Coordinates of all heavy atoms in Angstrom, one line a residue:
E154 N -36.5 182.7 66.7 CA -36.3 181.7 65.6 C -37.5 180.8 65.5 O -37.9 180.3 66.6 CB -35.0 180.9 65.8 CG -34.8 179.9 64.7 CD -33.5 179.1 64.9 OE1 -32.5 179.7 65.4 OE2 -33.6 177.9 64.6
I155 N -38.0 180.6 64.4 CA -39.2 179.7 64.2 C -38.8 178.7 63.1 O -38.3 179.0 62.1 CB -40.4 180.5 63.7 CG1 -40.9 181.5 64.7 CG2 -41.5 179.5 63.4 CD1 -42.0 182.4 64.3
R156 N -38.9 177.4 63.5 CA -38.6 176.3 62.6 C -39.9 175.6 62.3 O -40.7 175.3 63.2 CB -37.6 175.4 63.1 CG -36.3 175.9 63.2 CD -35.2 174.9 63.7 NE -35.7 173.5 63.8 CZ -35.0 172.6 64.4 NH1 -33.8 172.9 64.9 NH2 -35.4 171.4 64.5
V157 N -40.2 175.4 61.0 CA -41.3 174.6 60.6 C -40.8 173.2 60.3 O -40.0 172.9 59.4 CB -42.0 175.2 59.3 CG1 -43.1 174.3 58.8 CG2 -42.5 176.6 59.6
I158 N -41.3 172.2 61.1 CA -40.9 170.8 61.0 C -41.5 170.2 59.8 O -40.9 169.4 59.1 CB -41.1 170.1 62.3 CG1 -40.5 170.7 63.5 CG2 -40.7 168.6 62.2 CD1 -39.0 170.7 63.5
G159 N -42.8 170.4 59.6 CA -43.5 169.8 58.5 C -44.9 170.5 58.4 O -45.3 171.2 59.3
T160 N -45.5 170.3 57.3 CA -46.8 170.9 57.1 C -47.8 169.7 56.8 O -47.4 168.8 56.1 CB -46.9 172.0 56.0 OG1 -46.5 171.4 54.8 CG2 -46.0 173.1 56.4
H161 N -49.0 169.8 57.3 CA -49.9 168.8 57.1 C -51.3 169.4 57.1 O -51.6 170.1 58.1 CB -49.9 167.7 58.1 CG -50.8 166.6 57.9 ND1 -50.7 165.6 56.9 CD2 -52.0 166.3 58.5 CE1 -51.7 164.8 56.9 NE2 -52.5 165.2 57.9
V162 N -52.1 169.3 56.1 CA -53.4 169.8 56.0 C -54.4 168.7 55.9 O -54.3 167.9 55.0 CB -53.5 170.8 54.8 CG1 -54.9 171.3 54.8 CG2 -52.5 171.9 55.0
N163 N -55.4 168.7 56.8 CA -56.4 167.7 56.7 C -57.5 168.3 55.9 O -57.9 169.4 56.0 CB -57.0 167.4 58.1 CG -56.1 166.6 59.0 OD1 -55.3 165.8 58.4 ND2 -56.1 166.8 60.3
A164 N -58.1 167.4 55.0 CA -59.3 167.9 54.2 C -60.4 168.1 55.2 O -60.6 167.4 56.1 CB -59.6 166.8 53.2
V165 N -61.2 169.1 54.9 CA -62.3 169.4 55.7 C -63.6 169.0 55.0 O -63.9 169.4 53.9 CB -62.4 170.9 56.1 CG1 -63.7 171.3 56.8 CG2 -61.2 171.3 56.8
N166 N -64.3 168.1 55.6 CA -65.6 167.7 55.1 C -66.6 168.9 55.1 O -66.7 169.5 56.2 CB -66.1 166.5 55.9 CG -67.4 165.9 55.4 OD1 -68.2 166.6 54.7 ND2 -67.6 164.7 55.6
E167 N -67.3 169.1 54.0 CA -68.2 170.3 54.0 C -69.2 170.2 55.2 O -69.6 171.2 55.8 CB -69.0 170.4 52.7 CG -68.2 171.0 51.6 CD -69.0 171.2 50.4 OE1 -70.2 171.3 50.5 OE2 -68.4 171.2 49.3
A168 N -69.7 169.0 55.5 CA -70.7 168.8 56.6 C -70.1 169.2 57.9 O -70.8 169.6 58.8 CB -71.2 167.4 56.6
S169 N -68.7 169.2 58.1 CA -68.1 169.5 59.3 C -68.2 171.0 59.6 O -67.9 171.4 60.7 CB -66.7 169.0 59.4 OG -65.9 169.7 58.5
T170 N -68.4 171.8 58.6 CA -68.5 173.2 58.8 C -69.9 173.7 59.1 O -70.0 174.9 59.3 CB -67.9 173.9 57.6 OG1 -68.7 173.6 56.4 CG2 -66.4 173.5 57.3
S171 N -70.9 172.9 59.0 CA -72.2 173.3 59.3 C -72.4 173.6 60.8 O -71.6 173.1 61.6 CB -73.2 172.3 58.8 OG -73.1 171.1 59.6
V172 N -73.4 174.4 61.1 CA -73.6 174.8 62.5 C -75.0 174.3 62.9 O -75.9 174.4 62.1 CB -73.5 176.3 62.6 CG1 -73.9 176.7 64.0 CG2 -72.1 176.8 62.2
V173 N -75.0 173.7 64.1 CA -76.3 173.4 64.6 C -76.8 174.6 65.4 O -76.2 175.0 66.4 CB -76.2 172.1 65.5 CG1 -77.5 171.8 66.2 CG2 -75.8 170.9 64.7
N174 N -77.9 175.1 65.0 CA -78.5 176.3 65.7 C -79.4 175.9 66.8 O -80.5 175.4 66.6 CB -79.3 177.2 64.7 CG -78.4 177.8 63.7 OD1 -77.3 178.3 64.0 ND2 -78.8 177.7 62.4
L175 N -78.9 176.0 68.0 CA -79.6 175.7 69.2 C -80.5 176.8 69.6 O -80.1 178.0 69.5 CB -78.7 175.4 70.4 CG -77.7 174.3 70.2 CD1 -76.6 174.4 71.2 CD2 -78.4 172.9 70.4
Y176 N -81.7 176.5 70.0 CA -82.6 177.6 70.5 C -83.5 177.0 71.6 O -83.7 175.8 71.6 CB -83.4 178.2 69.4 CG -84.3 177.2 68.7 CD1 -85.6 177.0 69.1 CD2 -83.8 176.5 67.6 CE1 -86.4 176.1 68.4 CE2 -84.6 175.6 67.0 CZ -85.9 175.4 67.4 OH -86.7 174.5 66.7
P177 N -84.0 177.8 72.6 CA -83.6 179.1 72.8 C -82.2 179.2 73.3 O -81.7 178.2 73.9 CB -84.6 179.6 73.9 CG -85.0 178.4 74.6 CD -84.9 177.3 73.6
N178 N -81.5 180.3 73.2 CA -80.2 180.4 73.7 C -80.0 181.8 74.3 O -80.0 182.8 73.5 CB -79.1 180.1 72.6 CG -77.7 180.0 73.2 OD1 -77.5 180.1 74.4 ND2 -76.8 179.8 72.3
P179 N -80.0 182.0 75.6 CA -79.8 181.1 76.6 C -81.0 180.2 76.9 O -82.1 180.6 76.5 CB -79.5 181.9 77.8 CG -79.9 183.3 77.5 CD -80.0 183.4 76.1
A180 N -80.8 179.1 77.5 CA -81.9 178.1 77.8 C -82.0 177.8 79.3 O -81.0 177.8 80.0 CB -81.7 176.8 77.0
H181 N -83.2 177.5 79.7 CA -83.4 177.1 81.1 C -83.7 175.6 81.3 O -83.2 174.9 82.1 CB -84.4 178.0 81.7 CG -84.6 177.8 83.2 ND1 -83.6 178.0 84.1 CD2 -85.7 177.3 83.9 CE1 -84.0 177.7 85.3 NE2 -85.3 177.3 85.2
E182 N -84.7 175.2 80.5 CA -85.2 173.8 80.6 C -84.8 172.9 79.5 O -84.6 171.7 79.7 CB -86.7 173.8 80.9 CG -87.0 174.4 82.2 CD -88.5 174.3 82.5 OE1 -89.2 173.5 81.8 OE2 -89.0 174.9 83.5
Q183 N -84.9 173.4 78.2 CA -84.6 172.5 77.1 C -84.0 173.3 76.0 O -84.2 174.5 75.9 CB -85.8 171.7 76.6 CG -86.8 172.5 75.9 CD -88.0 171.6 75.4 OE1 -88.2 170.5 76.0 NE2 -88.7 172.1 74.4
V184 N -83.3 172.6 75.1 CA -82.8 173.2 73.9 C -83.4 172.4 72.7 O -83.6 171.2 72.8 CB -81.2 173.3 73.8 CG1 -80.7 174.2 74.8 CG2 -80.6 171.9 73.9
S185 N -83.6 173.1 71.6 CA -84.1 172.5 70.4 C -83.2 172.8 69.2 O -82.5 173.8 69.2 CB -85.5 173.0 70.1 OG -86.4 172.8 71.1
F186 N -83.1 171.9 68.3 CA -82.3 172.0 67.1 C -82.8 171.0 66.1 O -83.5 170.1 66.4 CB -80.8 172.0 67.4 CG -80.4 170.7 68.1 CD1 -80.0 169.6 67.5 CD2 -80.4 170.8 69.5 CE1 -79.5 168.5 68.2 CE2 -80.0 169.6 70.2 CZ -79.6 168.5 69.6
V187 N -82.3 171.2 64.8 CA -82.6 170.2 63.8 C -81.4 169.5 63.3 O -80.3 170.2 63.1 CB -83.3 171.0 62.6 CG1 -83.5 170.0 61.4 CG2 -84.6 171.7 63.0
L188 N -81.4 168.2 63.2 CA -80.3 167.4 62.7 C -80.7 166.9 61.3 O -81.8 166.4 61.1 CB -80.0 166.2 63.6 CG -79.5 166.5 65.0 CD1 -79.4 165.2 65.8 CD2 -78.1 167.2 64.9
E189 N -79.7 167.0 60.4 CA -79.9 166.5 59.0 C -79.8 165.0 59.0 O -80.3 164.4 58.0 CB -78.9 167.2 58.1 CG -79.1 168.6 58.0 CD -78.0 169.3 57.1 OE1 -77.3 168.6 56.4 OE2 -78.0 170.5 57.1
D190 N -79.1 164.4 59.9 CA -78.9 162.9 60.0 C -78.8 162.5 61.4 O -78.7 163.3 62.3 CB -77.6 162.6 59.2 CG -77.6 161.2 58.7 OD1 -78.5 160.4 59.0 OD2 -76.6 160.8 58.0
N191 N -78.9 161.2 61.7 CA -78.7 160.6 63.0 C -77.3 161.0 63.5 O -76.4 161.1 62.7 CB -78.8 159.1 63.0 CG -80.2 158.6 62.6 OD1 -81.1 159.4 62.5 ND2 -80.3 157.4 62.3
A192 N -77.2 161.3 64.8 CA -76.0 161.8 65.4 C -75.9 161.5 66.9 O -76.9 161.3 67.5 CB -75.8 163.3 65.1
E193 N -74.6 161.5 67.4 CA -74.4 161.5 68.8 C -74.2 162.9 69.2 O -73.4 163.6 68.7 CB -73.2 160.6 69.1 CG -72.9 160.5 70.6 CD -71.8 159.6 70.9 OE1 -72.0 158.4 70.9 OE2 -70.6 160.1 71.1
V194 N -74.9 163.3 70.3 CA -74.8 164.7 70.7 C -74.3 164.7 72.2 O -74.8 164.0 73.0 CB -76.2 165.4 70.7 CG1 -76.2 166.8 71.3 CG2 -76.8 165.4 69.3
S195 N -73.1 165.4 72.3 CA -72.5 165.4 73.6 C -72.4 166.9 74.1 O -72.1 167.8 73.4 CB -71.1 164.9 73.5 OG -71.1 163.5 73.1
F196 N -72.6 167.0 75.4 CA -72.5 168.3 76.1 C -71.2 168.4 76.9 O -70.9 167.4 77.7 CB -73.7 168.6 77.0 CG -75.0 168.8 76.3 CD1 -75.7 167.8 75.8 CD2 -75.4 170.1 76.1 CE1 -76.9 168.0 75.1 CE2 -76.6 170.4 75.5 CZ -77.4 169.3 75.0
F197 N -70.4 169.4 76.8 CA -69.2 169.6 77.5 C -69.3 170.9 78.3 O -69.8 171.9 77.8 CB -68.0 169.7 76.6 CG -67.7 168.4 75.9 CD1 -68.4 168.1 74.7 CD2 -66.8 167.5 76.4 CE1 -68.1 166.9 74.0 CE2 -66.6 166.3 75.7 CZ -67.2 166.0 74.5
D198 N -68.8 170.9 79.6 CA -68.8 172.1 80.3 C -67.5 172.9 80.0 O -66.7 172.5 79.1 CB -68.9 171.9 81.9 CG -67.8 171.1 82.5 OD1 -66.7 171.0 81.8 OD2 -67.9 170.6 83.6
M199 N -67.3 174.1 80.6 CA -66.2 174.9 80.3 C -64.8 174.3 80.6 O -63.8 174.7 80.1 CB -66.3 176.3 81.0 CG -67.4 177.2 80.4 SD -67.0 177.6 78.7 CE -65.5 178.5 78.9
T200 N -64.8 173.3 81.5 CA -63.5 172.6 81.8 C -63.2 171.5 80.8 O -62.2 170.9 80.9 CB -63.6 172.0 83.2 OG1 -64.5 171.0 83.3 CG2 -63.9 173.1 84.3
G201 N -64.1 171.3 79.9 CA -63.9 170.2 78.9 C -64.5 168.9 79.3 O -64.3 167.9 78.6
R202 N -65.1 168.8 80.5 CA -65.7 167.6 81.0 C -67.0 167.3 80.3 O -67.9 168.1 80.2 CB -65.9 167.7 82.5 CG -66.4 166.5 83.1 CD -66.6 166.7 84.7 NE -67.5 167.8 85.0 CZ -68.7 167.6 85.4 NH1 -69.2 166.4 85.5 NH2 -69.5 168.6 85.6
K203 N -67.1 166.1 79.8 CA -68.3 165.6 79.1 C -69.4 165.4 80.2 O -69.2 164.6 81.1 CB -68.1 164.3 78.3 CG -69.3 163.9 77.5 CD -69.1 162.6 76.8 CE -68.1 162.6 75.8 NZ -68.0 161.3 75.1
V204 N -70.5 166.1 80.1 CA -71.5 166.0 81.1 C -72.7 165.2 80.7 O -73.6 164.8 81.5 CB -72.0 167.4 81.6 CG1 -70.8 168.1 82.4 CG2 -72.5 168.3 80.5
S205 N -72.9 165.0 79.3 CA -74.0 164.3 78.8 C -73.8 163.8 77.4 O -73.1 164.6 76.6 CB -75.2 165.2 78.9 OG -76.3 164.6 78.2
T206 N -74.2 162.7 77.0 CA -74.2 162.2 75.7 C -75.5 161.4 75.4 O -76.0 160.7 76.2 CB -73.0 161.2 75.5 OG1 -71.8 161.9 75.7 CG2 -73.0 160.7 74.0
T207 N -76.0 161.7 74.2 CA -77.2 161.0 73.8 C -77.2 160.8 72.3 O -76.7 161.6 71.5 CB -78.5 161.7 74.2 OG1 -79.6 160.9 74.0 CG2 -78.6 163.1 73.5
H208 N -77.8 159.7 71.8 CA -78.0 159.5 70.4 C -79.3 160.1 69.9 O -80.3 159.9 70.6 CB -78.0 158.0 70.1 CG -78.1 157.7 68.6 ND1 -77.1 157.8 67.7 CD2 -79.2 157.3 67.9 CE1 -77.5 157.5 66.5 NE2 -78.8 157.2 66.6
C209 N -79.3 160.9 68.9 CA -80.5 161.6 68.4 C -80.7 161.2 67.0 O -79.8 161.0 66.1 CB -80.3 163.1 68.5 SG -80.0 163.7 70.2
E210 N -82.0 161.0 66.7 CA -82.5 160.7 65.3 C -82.5 162.0 64.5 O -82.7 163.1 65.0 CB -83.8 160.0 65.3 CG -83.9 158.7 66.1 CD -83.1 157.6 65.5 OE1 -83.1 157.5 64.2 OE2 -82.4 156.9 66.2
A211 N -82.4 161.9 63.2 CA -82.5 163.0 62.3 C -83.9 163.7 62.5 O -84.9 163.1 62.8 CB -82.4 162.6 60.8
G212 N -83.9 165.0 62.3 CA -85.1 165.8 62.4 C -85.1 166.8 63.6 O -84.0 167.1 64.1
Q213 N -86.2 167.2 64.0 CA -86.3 168.1 65.1 C -86.0 167.4 66.4 O -86.5 166.3 66.7 CB -87.8 168.6 65.2 CG -88.0 169.6 66.3 CD -87.3 171.0 66.1 OE1 -87.2 171.4 65.0 NE2 -86.9 171.6 67.2
V214 N -85.0 168.0 67.2 CA -84.6 167.4 68.5 C -84.8 168.4 69.6 O -84.6 169.6 69.5 CB -83.1 167.1 68.4 CG1 -82.5 166.5 69.7 CG2 -82.8 166.1 67.3
Q215 N -85.3 167.8 70.7 CA -85.5 168.6 71.9 C -84.8 167.9 73.1 O -85.1 166.7 73.3 CB -87.0 168.9 72.3 CG -87.7 169.7 71.2 CD -89.1 169.9 71.5 OE1 -89.7 169.1 72.3 NE2 -89.7 170.9 71.0
L216 N -83.8 168.5 73.7 CA -83.1 167.9 74.8 C -83.3 168.7 76.1 O -83.2 169.9 76.1 CB -81.6 167.8 74.5 CG -81.3 166.9 73.3 CD1 -79.8 166.9 73.1 CD2 -81.7 165.5 73.6
N217 N -83.6 167.9 77.2 CA -83.8 168.5 78.5 C -82.4 168.9 79.1 O -81.5 168.1 79.2 CB -84.4 167.5 79.4 CG -84.8 168.1 80.8 OD1 -84.2 169.1 81.2 ND2 -85.7 167.4 81.4
V218 N -82.2 170.2 79.5 CA -81.0 170.7 80.1 C -81.2 171.2 81.5 O -80.4 171.8 82.1 CB -80.3 171.8 79.2 CG1 -79.9 171.2 77.8 CG2 -81.2 173.0 79.0
S219 N -82.4 170.9 82.0 CA -82.8 171.5 83.3 C -81.9 171.1 84.5 O -81.7 171.8 85.4 CB -84.2 171.2 83.6 OG -84.4 169.8 83.8
E220 N -81.3 169.9 84.3 CA -80.4 169.4 85.4 C -79.0 169.8 85.3 O -78.2 169.6 86.2 CB -80.5 167.9 85.5 CG -81.9 167.4 85.9 CD -82.0 166.0 86.3 OE1 -81.0 165.4 86.6 OE2 -83.1 165.5 86.3
L221 N -78.6 170.5 84.2 CA -77.3 171.0 84.1 C -77.1 172.2 85.0 O -78.0 173.0 85.2 CB -77.0 171.4 82.7 CG -77.0 170.3 81.6 CD1 -76.7 170.9 80.2 CD2 -75.9 169.3 81.9
A222 N -75.9 172.4 85.5 CA -75.6 173.6 86.3 C -75.6 174.8 85.4 O -75.3 174.7 84.2 CB -74.3 173.5 87.0
N223 N -75.9 176.0 85.9 CA -75.9 177.2 85.1 C -74.4 177.5 84.6 O -73.5 177.2 85.3 CB -76.3 178.4 85.9 CG -77.8 178.4 86.3 OD1 -78.5 177.6 85.7 ND2 -78.2 179.2 87.2
G224 N -74.3 177.9 83.3 CA -73.0 178.2 82.7 C -73.0 178.0 81.2 O -74.1 177.8 80.6
L225 N -71.9 178.1 80.7 CA -71.7 178.0 79.2 C -71.3 176.5 78.9 O -70.5 175.9 79.6 CB -70.5 178.9 78.7 CG -70.2 178.8 77.3 CD1 -71.3 179.4 76.4 CD2 -68.9 179.7 77.0
Y226 N -72.0 176.0 77.9 CA -71.7 174.6 77.4 C -71.4 174.5 75.9 O -72.0 175.3 75.2 CB -73.0 173.7 77.7 CG -73.2 173.5 79.2 CD1 -73.9 174.4 80.0 CD2 -72.6 172.4 79.8 CE1 -74.0 174.2 81.3 CE2 -72.7 172.2 81.2 CZ -73.5 173.1 81.9 OH -73.6 172.9 83.2
F227 N -70.6 173.6 75.6 CA -70.3 173.3 74.2 C -71.1 172.0 73.8 O -71.1 171.1 74.6 CB -68.8 173.1 73.9 CG -68.1 174.4 74.2 CD1 -67.5 174.6 75.4 CD2 -68.0 175.4 73.2 CE1 -66.8 175.8 75.6 CE2 -67.3 176.5 73.4 CZ -66.7 176.8 74.6
V228 N -71.7 172.0 72.6 CA -72.4 170.9 72.2 C -71.7 170.3 70.9 O -71.6 171.0 69.9 CB -73.9 171.3 71.8 CG1 -74.7 170.1 71.3 CG2 -74.6 172.0 73.0
N229 N -71.3 169.1 71.0 CA -70.5 168.5 70.0 C -71.5 167.5 69.3 O -72.0 166.6 70.0 CB -69.3 167.7 70.5 CG -68.5 167.1 69.4 OD1 -69.0 166.5 68.5 ND2 -67.2 167.2 69.6
V230 N -71.7 167.6 68.0 CA -72.6 166.8 67.2 C -71.7 165.9 66.3 O -71.0 166.5 65.5 CB -73.7 167.5 66.4 CG1 -74.5 166.6 65.6 CG2 -74.5 168.4 67.4
S231 N -71.7 164.6 66.5 CA -70.9 163.7 65.7 C -71.8 162.8 64.8 O -72.6 162.1 65.3 CB -70.1 162.8 66.6 OG -69.2 163.6 67.4
Y232 N -71.7 163.0 63.5 CA -72.4 162.2 62.6 C -71.7 160.9 62.2 O -70.5 160.8 62.3 CB -72.7 163.0 61.3 CG -73.5 164.2 61.5 CD1 -72.9 165.5 61.7 CD2 -74.9 164.2 61.6 CE1 -73.7 166.6 61.9 CE2 -75.7 165.3 61.8 CZ -75.1 166.5 62.0 OH -75.8 167.6 62.2
A233 N -72.4 159.9 61.7 CA -71.9 158.6 61.3 C -70.8 158.7 60.2 O -69.9 157.9 60.2 CB -73.0 157.7 60.9
N234 N -70.9 159.8 59.4 CA -69.9 159.9 58.3 C -68.6 160.5 58.8 O -67.8 160.8 58.0 CB -70.5 160.7 57.1 CG -70.8 162.2 57.5 OD1 -70.5 162.6 58.6 ND2 -71.4 162.9 56.5
G235 N -68.5 160.8 60.1 CA -67.3 161.4 60.6 C -67.3 162.9 60.7 O -66.5 163.5 61.4
A236 N -68.3 163.6 60.2 CA -68.5 165.0 60.3 C -68.9 165.4 61.7 O -69.6 164.6 62.4 CB -69.5 165.5 59.3
T237 N -68.3 166.5 62.2 CA -68.7 167.0 63.5 C -69.0 168.5 63.5 O -68.5 169.2 62.6 CB -67.6 166.7 64.6 OG1 -66.4 167.4 64.2 CG2 -67.3 165.3 64.7
T238 N -69.8 168.9 64.4 CA -70.0 170.4 64.5 C -70.0 170.7 66.0 O -70.2 169.8 66.9 CB -71.4 170.8 64.0 OG1 -72.4 170.2 64.8 CG2 -71.6 170.5 62.6
V239 N -69.6 171.9 66.3 CA -69.6 172.3 67.7 C -70.4 173.6 67.8 O -70.1 174.5 67.1 CB -68.1 172.5 68.3 CG1 -68.2 173.0 69.7 CG2 -67.4 171.2 68.2
S240 N -71.3 173.7 68.7 CA -72.1 174.9 69.0 C -72.0 175.1 70.5 O -71.5 174.3 71.2 CB -73.5 174.6 68.6 OG -73.7 174.4 67.2
K241 N -72.5 176.3 70.9 CA -72.5 176.6 72.3 C -73.8 177.2 72.7 O -74.5 177.7 71.9 CB -71.3 177.5 72.7 CG -71.3 178.8 72.0 CD -70.1 179.7 72.3 CE -70.1 180.9 71.5 NZ -68.9 181.7 71.8
F242 N -74.1 177.0 74.0 CA -75.3 177.6 74.6 C -75.1 177.9 76.0 O -74.2 177.4 76.7 CB -76.5 176.8 74.4 CG -76.7 175.7 75.4 CD1 -77.6 175.9 76.5 CD2 -76.1 174.5 75.3 CE1 -77.7 174.9 77.4 CE2 -76.2 173.5 76.2 CZ -77.1 173.7 77.3
V243 N -75.9 178.9 76.5 CA -75.8 179.3 77.9 C -77.0 178.7 78.6 O -78.1 178.8 78.2 CB -75.8 180.8 78.1 CG1 -75.8 181.2 79.5 CG2 -74.5 181.4 77.4
K244 N -76.7 178.0 79.8 CA -77.8 177.5 80.6 C -77.9 178.4 81.8 O -76.9 178.8 82.4 CB -77.4 176.1 81.1 CG -78.1 175.5 82.3 CD -79.6 175.3 82.1 CE -80.3 174.6 83.2 NZ -80.4 175.2 84.5
F245 N -79.2 178.9 82.1 CA -79.4 179.8 83.2 C -80.4 179.2 84.1 O -81.1 178.3 83.8 CB -79.8 181.2 82.7 CG -81.2 181.2 82.2 CD1 -82.2 181.6 83.0 CD2 -81.4 180.9 80.8 CE1 -83.5 181.7 82.5 CE2 -82.7 181.0 80.3 CZ -83.8 181.4 81.2

């Protein structure tokens, strides 16, 4: 038996569906990407633990990842307007 208690749909901001293309991927020392606006960029490991956060200005961004342990990371980009994107990359 399945009961639906209620339905609620959040509007999705178009900017929240954009993807930040990180390169190179996999990466060893740094990742690069382009931001359309200023944003907070956070790295999360596979356990969901935040391992790094930095504020980045709009434009070409290069972040040092050499001190991260090898593995898969999720990159959460949060813009001032509330839009967010999540990308992933492999550190080797």
